[in-house]
Amino acid sequence: MSHRISSFAAAFMLSAAVFAPTQVFAQKTLRTVMNSDLKIIDPIWTTAYISRNHGYMVYDTLFALDANGEIKPQMIDTHTVSADGLLYTFTLRDGLLWHDDAPVTSEDCIASLKRWATRDTLGQKLMTFIDKMEVKDAKTFTIALKEKTGLVLAGLSKPSSNAAFMMPKRVADTDPQKQIDDATGSGPFKFVKAEWKPGDKAVYVKFDKYKPRAEPPSGLAGGKVVKIDRIEWRAISDSQTAVNALIAGEIDYVEQPAWDLLPLVKKEAKLRIFDFNPLGVQYAFRLNWLHKPFDDPKVRAAVWYALNQKDFLDAGPGNPDYYRICKSYFPCGSPLANEAIIGDRLESNFDKARALLKDSSYDGQPIVLLQSTDTISIANAPAVAKSLLEKAGFKVDVQASDWQTMVGRRTKKEPPGQGGWNAIVSAWGALDIADPITTGFLNATCEKALFGWPCDPELEKLRDAFARATDTTQKKDIADKVQARAMEMTTHIPFGQYKQPAAVSNRVKGLVLAWVPVFWNAELD
């Protein structure tokens, strides 16, 4: 049985420290430089993509999306839905084991779903429809709904932050507001915690007892067959150094090479560009509603008129071959995109911005804008934001750190002067912003919302309506209303789309096109 997640997926899925030369590696060791250093190993506690990537190494999911956007069983063997659509019954596959050799059980899965749903935007909305989840036996469990919704399988197959990764119950019972420190999963690789050295490397080894599905790999679904004994994620924050190591054969894969280095990669016969996410990524400017000045909607509105997309995109990708101006909350080219709603905003109309500020409560206090220095895609954006905002009359204090430090700081609700913040720049893969439910920054449930904590009952009513809608035309109409309300209240500001391909050695074969970097099926010459 298969299901399509949305017309968005259908429309897009078809679019498709350097190491010493004398160091000896194992015969089948894949050496990579990922988008950031791994410091947080809990992919439920954070939406950071480096932690999500770690999740796909060590965990598995109940369902997954194949290359055509179809929802396919992954850890599940069979599932049924009652005639009234209110009862889902799931049976796990035989032979599923945790990395400590304990069997995967229904109790584990329910505990994992509860923890995931506490943190994830789609999961939170799904739980408002769920009456109860019950264990029937060691391998069978049910989800009973209070009313019908299409969110059940969409949630269990959610491909990105936060994906519904399954964990042992003893781990999943961890307070959702606290990070786990136990990376025991049931996925194709095991995390070697003893070799984990933040700032240096993270190590994964093949889980010999993993039982892949019989189907060939397709997207995030199908057989996760491991053909490499060991994978090392090396922490090299400088892109030029990472690419030099790739050219020298000391590294095999660089997830996010700087765009201006891509021509150099293309000239190397032994290297290639691999665009694992042809759907692209959207920049987002996130404002913190808890503290001045962005607790005032007039101040938030002024930001729309101060910023423009082209300046950000030129400072990031730089090359129009890799970016697209898109004045829409949902990705341009997708069925829910609508650039007309944003209208005259995002054109750097400084006169309009200054007029809104003059009529607001803004008192000239500097805005604390966080900057990630080691993440290529967003490193330059805060400097652009500072320049544009100051031309509109704001004062801006850019405070820099590495990405993982910023990920921790953005969760703090304290005032900026006490370790908190006013604004950040982030980025979301297109599948994460496909509709009003999956888009984390559209969650306006106050203290339960993602960092920034917007609070708007009217927006939540619209998102509820979208979750209940079944007709395509109705969904489009509601999505337009969601965009209009989100813009009016300024949950966040989108400032363009871009592509960020990886750079890969030709000795790496079999990489799967899966919208996130995954390493099952990969092999080395």
Side-chain angles (χ1 to χ4, degrees):
M1 184 177 185
S2 65
H3 306 260
R4 288 191 178 273
I5 52 167
S6 66
S7 53
F8 166 80
F12 266 121
M13 295 303 173
L14 298 179
S15 75
V18 181
F19 314 117
T22 57
Q23 186 170 354
V24 178
F25 292 91
Q27 182 179 3
K28 291 189 177 181
T29 296
L30 178 69
R31 300 151 299 174
T32 76
V33 175
M34 305 304 288
N35 69 72
S36 176
D37 183 24
L38 180 70
K39 293 182 180 177
I40 299 172
I41 61 171
D42 188 345
I44 304 302
W45 184 85
T46 181
T47 58
Y49 282 173
I50 186 66
S51 300
R52 174 207 64 187
N53 297 350
H54 161 81
Y56 273 110
M57 297 292 286
V58 300
Y59 301 112
D60 215 339
T61 57
L62 298 174
F63 290 82
L65 300 187
D66 72 6
N68 295 314
E70 300 280 352
I71 297 175
K72 300 290 186 180
Q74 192 59 32
M75 295 173 72
I76 295 297
D77 181 22
T78 61
H79 71 285
T80 60
V81 184
S82 62
D84 61 5
L86 296 179
L87 183 66
Y88 288 72
T89 301
F90 304 97
T91 301
L92 294 167
R93 291 195 287 130
D94 290 333
L96 299 181
L97 296 175
W98 299 113
H99 295 157
D100 59 8
D101 291 343
V104 177
T105 69
S106 297
E107 281 191 340
D108 297 318
C109 296
I110 288 179
S112 296
L113 290 175
K114 287 180 178 178
R115 186 170 191 268
W116 163 77
T118 301
R119 302 285 302 190
D120 180 68
T121 294
L122 192 161
Q124 289 177 5
K125 190 63 67 180
L126 172 58
M127 287 302 292
T128 66
F129 288 85
I130 290 178
D131 179 29
K132 57 186 175 180
M133 295 188 284
E134 289 187 321
V135 171
K136 294 303 179 183
D137 58 44
K139 291 175 52 183
T140 304
F141 65 97
T142 59
I143 295 179
L145 303 179
K146 291 179 286 189
E147 58 179 306
K148 288 179 64 174
T149 178
L151 298 182
V152 177
L153 297 186
L156 304 192
S157 64
K158 191 169 184 278
S160 190
S161 297
N162 304 95
F165 293 120
M166 295 297 103
M167 301 177 178
K169 183 178 185 299
R170 59 179 170 78
V171 179
D173 282 342
T174 302
D175 181 344
Q177 306 309 317
K178 297 180 180 179
Q179 295 181 40
I180 63 171
D181 58 8
D182 183 338
T184 302
S186 66
F189 295 95
K190 295 173 67 172
F191 182 57
V192 186
K193 193 173 183 180
E195 295 192 54
W196 180 33
K197 298 178 181 178
D200 180 16
K201 67 180 178 180
V203 176
Y204 304 85
V205 295
K206 178 180 180 179
F207 179 35
D208 289 331
K209 296 181 180 179
Y210 179 76
K211 184 178 180 181
R213 296 189 66 89
E215 304 93 338
S218 177
L220 292 167
K224 298 179 179 180
V225 179
V226 176
K227 303 176 182 179
I228 294 172
D229 301 315
R230 176 182 172 95
I231 298 181
E232 296 180 357
W233 290 6
R234 305 307 301 251
I236 303 178
S237 59
D238 181 71
S239 188
Q240 181 71 67
T241 303
V243 170
N244 288 345
L246 182 69
I247 293 171
E250 297 158 355
I251 289 293
D252 305 302
Y253 181 105
V254 178
E255 182 188 351
Q256 289 190 1
W259 288 281
D260 60 1
L261 296 177
L262 292 177
L264 177 62
V265 173
K266 291 179 178 180
K267 289 180 181 178
E268 292 287 335
K270 59 186 176 182
L271 305 179
R272 71 183 187 278
I273 298 298
F274 177 64
D275 190 359
F276 60 84
N277 180 23
L279 310 185
V281 185
Q282 181 192 79
Y283 281 123
F285 192 80
R286 181 68 158 178
L287 302 90
N288 188 339
W289 283 39
L290 296 183
H291 307 294
K292 293 184 179 300
F294 295 133
D295 60 339
D296 183 344
K298 291 182 179 179
V299 180
R300 298 197 298 266
V303 179
W304 280 100
Y305 287 95
L307 304 182
N308 74 83
Q309 294 195 348
K310 191 173 187 302
D311 284 0
F312 284 104
L313 293 166
D314 283 342
N319 185 342
D321 290 344
Y322 294 106
Y323 74 67
R324 174 177 183 172
I325 291 173
C326 173
K327 292 168 62 172
S328 170
Y329 274 117
F330 306 119
C332 284
S334 75
L336 298 183
N338 189 336
E339 295 191 85
I341 293 173
I342 289 177
D344 65 346
R345 295 163 180 82
L346 290 175
E347 298 293 341
S348 286
N349 183 338
F350 299 121
D351 289 339
K352 178 71 172 180
R354 283 190 287 265
L356 285 166
L357 273 189
K358 185 177 180 180
D359 192 37
S360 75
S361 62
Y362 183 59
D363 60 3
Q365 184 73 20
I367 294 164
V368 173
L369 172 60
L370 303 186
Q371 178 187 26
S372 167
T373 57
D374 63 338
T375 305
I376 296 298
S377 57
I378 61 175
N380 295 334
V384 176
K386 175 181 172 66
S387 174
L388 296 175
L389 290 170
E390 289 183 340
K391 289 177 182 177
F394 289 96
K395 293 180 181 178
V396 182
D397 176 15
V398 175
Q399 298 187 7
S401 69
D402 64 83
W403 172 242
Q404 293 298 296
T405 299
M406 179 177 152
V407 165
R409 184 173 176 181
R410 71 187 184 183
T411 67
K412 296 182 180 299
K413 294 183 178 181
E414 290 82 2
Q418 300 175 27
W421 55 281
N422 293 118
I424 63 170
V425 173
S426 188
W428 293 91
L431 282 183
D432 281 323
I433 54 170
D435 60 50
I437 306 301
T438 61
T439 304
F441 280 173
L442 290 177
N443 182 339
T445 55
C446 311
E447 73 280 356
K448 293 183 179 180
L450 282 181
F451 46 91
W453 305 282
C455 191
D456 185 47
E458 183 175 335
L459 182 55
E460 284 306 300
K461 288 179 182 178
L462 289 170
R463 294 178 68 238
D464 286 340
F466 188 90
R468 294 183 175 93
T470 56
D471 176 75
T472 300
T473 301
Q474 183 185 22
K475 284 187 173 184
K476 181 66 170 69
D477 178 64
I478 296 170
D480 285 348
K481 292 177 180 177
V482 166
Q483 290 196 80
R485 182 62 181 178
M487 183 189 68
E488 178 186 357
M489 301 307 294
T490 316
T491 56
H492 64 292
I493 297 174
F495 56 94
Q497 291 176 210
Y498 67 90
K499 291 189 176 184
Q500 175 76 69
V504 188
S505 167
N506 286 336
R507 66 189 293 262
V508 182
K509 310 294 184 183
L511 289 170
V512 177
L513 188 65
W515 321 291
V516 302
V518 296
F519 297 104
W520 57 79
N521 199 59
E523 52 189 321
L524 295 171
D525 278 350

